[in-house]
Structure formats: C-alpha cells, structure tokens
Amino acid sequence: MKLNGTTISDIAARANVSKSTVSRVLNDKSVVNQQTRKVVLEAMESLGYQANAFARSLASGRSMTVGVLTQKIGSPFYDMIMQGVIQGFAGTGYSPLFVDGQWEESTALEVIRAVLGRKVDGMLLLGGDLPEQQLNELKERLPTIVVGKEIPGWENQCVYIDNISAAYDATKHLIDFGHRDIAIIQGIKQHQDAMRRFDGYAKALADAGIELDPGLVLEGDFSAQSGIVGISSLLMRGKSFTAVFCANDMVAYGARLALQRHGIRVPEDVSIVGFDDQGESAYVTPPLTTVRQPGTEMGAAAAAGLVQLMQGKPCVLPTLQAELKCRESVARVLR
C-alpha cells in the first residue's frame, strides 16, 4: 500500500517495528501495545502518511460510509436534514454518501441498489414513499433509520414529528384569529406528511364546529408553483376565503405571490400559514407564520442513532416537537 510516496515499509523502518505491526495499527487491532501504537502513529504523522480507506475497509469488513437517500437535492427542508446528518456524523469516522430519490419509487430503489454496491455500513432514508416490504428488506440487510416518516414495526428506528398535531395547531391559530373560511393547499397526494397535515387541518375545523368545504381543498405537490395554481383556482372559481394553510413554506411563497399579483393583501385581506420554517420564512414580506419542523435536529439525531446501530448498541432516538412560529402573515378577521 503506497500513498504520496510513503509505504508501510517506510513506516515500519521509521518506527523500528515489523510491517505486520504497522498493519495491525492501521486496521485498529487492539492486540498492539499502546506504546508501540503511539510510536507507529508518530512515524505515520512524521512521514505524512494517510491510511487508504478502501484498503482498511477490506481488512476490517467496514467501509465507514453510510448511504443517505434524500428527496430532490435542493429542497430547503431536506437540505436542512442533510446538514444535520453531516453534523451528526462529524467526528465519528463515518462519511455520508448522498443520493437523490427524486420523489420516484423506481429512482429511489435504483440509487439504493447503487449505494449498497458500495458496501455501506448503514442507510439513512430521508422521507420518500418506498413500500414497507422494500423498507423491511433493507432493514433486515443492514442498519437503517428513516427520517420524517413513521413506519409500523420500526420503533426506535424512525425520526419524525406529529404532523397531525402540528397542522391542528396551525389551523387552530387561524380559527382563534376569527377565520372560518380556511383553504388548504396540500402536498403530494399520497405522501404521509401531506395526508397527516390534512387530517390535522380537518380535525381543527371539526373541533371548532366548522364544516369542511371540499371547494377549499386544493391539491399541491409541495412546490411554490402549486401554491400559485391553488390560489388561482380559488379566485377563478370565486371561492370566498380569508386564510390559507399551506402544506409547506414553498407552497406558502407561491400562494403569497399569486395573491399579490391579484392585488390581494397579506395579511389584511388573506392570512397565510406555512409549514417547515425555512430559513427565508422569517425574512419574506410579510414574515411567514409557520410550523417549525426541526430538520437539522432530526438529521443529527438520525445520524447519531445510526452510529449506535452500526456499533451494535441499542438505538435511542429523541422525541422531537414541532413549534408554531407566529409572525406577521396572520391577522384577525374584522367582522
């Protein structure tokens, strides 16, 4: 093995030990005397030697890499989770290998197979809608944690928030401000988050004695464009509404733009609530009232839990809470 001109033989000669001893140090074998290990490490440092990670993985049976499947790189919320993942693996010796599922089951399965071919030691799945059969097969094959989704039978291997409760609080906030004609622009139809946020919205209306109006329920896909389309649909159909609950902040940004283009003021004429609390949401005009989903903390917790699993230890995952961030995009209804 040779790197930057330095070989194991060079290290052995500098440390005055055998090549097999150097090899045991490189492969982290505990049988090496601590004083000898120190001498070898000092020799490596003085020669500017860095261990070949691939060669070490062949010897140890571990690649020290982790596959991380995200959904559409560039999505602000999933990027927050990825930042948390990076933080969570810092200092552990494990390196994340990020791949993009593009919200497509076939794409996700393809990139997972590619990552498994790299002999990763574990997998983190950020969101997505893979069938439970494939998820369970993956969990049986290697340590796996899912972020942003609750899966039956995966206790202590999922990191998520209570989307129903969070959406309930967001909708109730609008109701408490006097709103009764509250539209919702949803996320991807079959996505667990979207469905549960709709359930929270519907429950808040029911608890307040407000009949759910199907005409105020708009399909979306978590994109800003779906916020524009949703508002345009409401206005073209002449639907009366004083507030909009959006499936995420991107949808809220689009809804806000569509309202502005039609001369409708936020929050004086229509109030808006988002979901996720992206970094920009506190600085848009007006600052967006939204549900803060702790994406960075979720990613860091998942990474730390996966390290525990890969080391054969019990996985302990924290219970993370969403928080309603009240800003200036909601106003009271004047009757």
Side-chain angles (χ1 to χ4, degrees):
M1 180 163 50
K2 190 179 181 76
L3 184 66
N4 294 333
T6 301
T7 66
I8 287 180
S9 296
D10 297 331
I11 299 168
R14 175 67 65 90
N16 196 27
V17 298
S18 67
K19 290 190 289 183
S20 61
T21 297
V22 175
S23 180
R24 286 195 294 272
V25 172
L26 285 172
N27 295 317
D28 199 24
K29 300 297 184 182
S30 58
V31 294
V32 180
N33 176 276
Q34 287 300 316
Q35 181 58 37
T36 301
R37 182 187 300 276
K38 179 181 178 182
V39 171
V40 172
L41 293 174
E42 288 175 347
M44 290 169 59
E45 184 177 0
S46 68
L47 291 170
Y49 180 89
Q50 292 181 315
N52 184 300
F54 179 69
R56 288 187 64 178
S57 73
L58 291 177
S60 67
R62 295 179 298 163
S63 68
M64 300 306 292
T65 58
V66 175
V68 184
L69 172 70
T70 188
Q71 306 300 324
K72 196 150 288 198
I73 290 173
S75 163
F77 175 64
Y78 284 102
D79 283 358
M80 280 196 294
I81 297 179
M82 288 193 287
Q83 287 299 319
V85 168
I86 293 169
Q87 293 174 21
F89 284 127
T92 67
Y94 289 96
S95 299
L97 175 61
F98 293 99
V99 290
D100 193 340
Q102 293 287 316
W103 288 115
E104 293 287 344
E105 179 183 325
S106 59
T107 301
L109 291 173
E110 179 182 344
V111 296
I112 287 174
R113 281 193 290 267
V115 167
L116 293 176
R118 301 291 187 94
K119 306 299 182 184
V120 294
D121 298 325
M123 282 290 301
L124 285 180
L125 306 179
L126 314 185
D129 290 304
L130 287 179
E132 288 188 19
Q133 180 181 344
Q134 275 83 7
L135 291 172
N136 290 330
E137 289 175 1
L138 185 62
K139 185 175 69 166
E140 290 297 320
R141 182 168 178 173
L142 77 172
T144 305
I145 285 180
V146 173
V147 184
K149 186 174 182 180
E150 182 182 6
I151 306 172
W154 283 60
E155 288 73 18
N156 296 320
Q157 285 182 248
C158 295
V159 180
Y160 60 93
I161 64 161
D162 185 342
N163 278 281
I164 294 177
S165 176
Y168 182 98
D169 291 344
T171 308
K172 186 176 183 301
H173 179 64
L174 292 169
I175 294 169
D176 289 344
F177 271 61
H179 296 276
R180 296 185 66 82
D181 298 320
I182 303 171
I184 180 172
I185 305 176
Q186 302 183 85
I188 296 172
K189 191 172 183 179
Q190 299 303 321
H191 190 277
Q192 186 183 88
D193 288 357
M195 292 188 291
R196 293 190 172 181
R197 288 171 197 175
F198 174 79
D199 290 343
Y201 158 84
K203 187 175 188 301
L205 293 180
D207 286 354
I210 301 172
E211 184 177 354
L212 191 153
D213 181 352
L216 293 178
V217 178
L218 291 307
E219 289 190 15
D221 61 6
F222 291 123
S223 71
Q225 182 61 30
S226 68
I228 294 174
V229 171
I231 292 297
S232 298
S233 173
L234 289 171
L235 296 176
M236 282 191 299
R237 290 184 288 117
K239 290 297 295 184
S240 175
F241 63 101
T242 63
V244 186
F245 172 43
C246 298
N248 69 358
D249 287 358
M250 292 300 295
V251 174
Y253 298 159
R256 169 69 181 86
L257 177 60
L259 290 168
Q260 180 184 31
R261 285 174 173 172
H262 286 86
I264 299 171
R265 301 169 300 169
V266 176
E268 293 87 350
D269 302 320
V270 172
S271 293
I272 298 180
V273 173
F275 205 107
D276 285 346
D277 193 25
Q278 294 177 198
E280 302 88 344
S281 293
Y283 304 101
V284 295
T285 303
L288 182 65
T289 293
T290 183
V291 175
R292 180 181 183 273
Q293 189 169 192
T296 304
E297 294 92 327
M298 292 168 74
L306 188 60
V307 170
Q308 292 172 324
L309 283 180
M310 292 186 295
Q311 294 177 346
K313 300 175 182 177
C315 178
V316 180
L317 296 173
T319 300
L320 298 173
Q321 301 294 330
E323 178 188 2
L324 183 65
K325 305 295 289 187
C326 298
R327 299 194 179 107
E328 298 161 45
S329 64
V330 175
R332 292 190 178 278
V333 173
L334 300 177
R335 298 190 186 278

